[in-house]
Amino acid sequence: MLKSCKYCGKIHDKSYICPKKPTRRKQNGTAAQFRNTNAWKKKREEIKRRDLYLCQICIRNLYGTRERYNGKDLSVHHAESLEENFNKRLDDDNLLTMCERHHKMAEKKIIPVHIVRKIIRQQETKNSPPGGEN
């Protein structure tokens, strides 16, 4: 039986696997499982609260900011990814609140890791009690 292919527009046999069909990437099992844990959900909320529910790149007017006080589509970015260092997955000094646009830029290293780390240090310093003791 012939069928119109939604990937290339050509007519193929129903059983033909079109080379234009995108392959689905399977997420890293450990990382995917971690993102569903209560520990991550709690930590993610803590970091957003620390960062005042604002994208920390936007508020600094960096990397093509469109809206300086942006609290939309927020997520928490790992400066050192889960794949690079799973042990730092819940460390405050490895996490920063970003909007979806800037998070994608950070993942692609368009926003360099050293800039992300610098902003995290600023956030950690700003929120540490006087005398430097936690």
Side-chain angles (χ1 to χ4, degrees):
M1 179 173 172
L2 297 176
K3 187 176 177 184
S4 175
C5 178
K6 65 180 177 181
Y7 304 108
C8 71
K10 295 179 182 177
I11 305 292
H12 301 299
D13 184 78
K14 186 179 176 184
S15 62
Y16 178 76
I17 299 172
C18 182
K20 297 250 180 181
K21 180 180 178 180
T23 55
R24 188 171 179 203
R25 273 186 17 205
K26 187 175 181 182
Q27 287 188 338
N28 177 330
T30 307
Q33 287 175 351
F34 164 71
R35 287 188 175 94
N36 289 319
T37 64
N38 287 331
W40 171 240
K41 292 172 186 175
K42 181 180 174 189
K43 178 55 72 176
R44 186 177 61 206
E45 191 60 28
E46 284 176 22
I47 296 300
K48 286 181 183 179
R49 191 175 323 114
R50 177 199 72 190
D51 295 342
L52 304 174
Y53 297 93
L54 294 169
C55 172
Q56 295 303 304
I57 305 298
C58 287
I59 201 163
R60 289 168 173 81
N61 207 21
L62 302 171
Y63 296 93
T65 293
R66 296 177 182 153
E67 183 179 345
R68 185 141 186 223
Y69 298 100
N70 184 1
K72 299 176 202 149
D73 299 319
L74 297 178
S75 59
V76 175
H77 175 68
H78 287 86
E80 250 184 90
S81 73
L82 298 173
E83 291 78 17
E84 292 170 339
N85 190 345
F86 193 73
N87 292 331
K88 290 189 64 97
R89 67 191 176 277
L90 295 171
D91 292 356
D92 291 359
D93 64 354
N94 190 46
L95 302 168
L96 188 66
T97 304
M98 293 184 187
C99 65
E100 180 181 6
R101 182 170 176 266
H102 285 125
H103 194 179
K104 286 179 181 176
M105 292 172 78
E107 291 290 325
K108 293 177 182 175
K109 308 289 188 220
I110 295 168
I111 301 174
V113 174
H114 74 276
I115 298 293
V116 173
R117 288 187 189 287
K118 180 180 176 185
I119 295 170
I120 292 171
R121 280 192 303 274
Q122 291 170 353
Q123 290 304 101
E124 285 290 289
T125 303
K126 179 180 82 170
N127 291 305
S128 63
E133 294 180 22
N134 287 329

